[in-house]
Amino acid sequence: MTNGKKNPTGAGAIIAFLILAGAIVGGMLGQPSAGLLAGAALGGVIALLLWLRERGQ
């Protein structure tokens, strides 16, 4: 029997990808730490938005 709930979307891969991408882009610009932090922040925002979207359903 189905209860109407969907499986939750995981955001871990998105966060990990954005952290790596931020570090790489930041490294090309001479600021790998700043890029890593920016990627982590952007990944956190996307994960929060995904959580809020699924919470409302």
Side-chain angles (χ1 to χ4, degrees), residues 14-44:
I14 296 170
I15 295 170
F17 174 73
L18 288 174
I19 288 172
L20 288 173
I24 291 169
V25 172
M28 287 191 242
L29 299 174
Q31 295 291 327
S33 296
L36 185 132
L37 291 174
L42 184 58

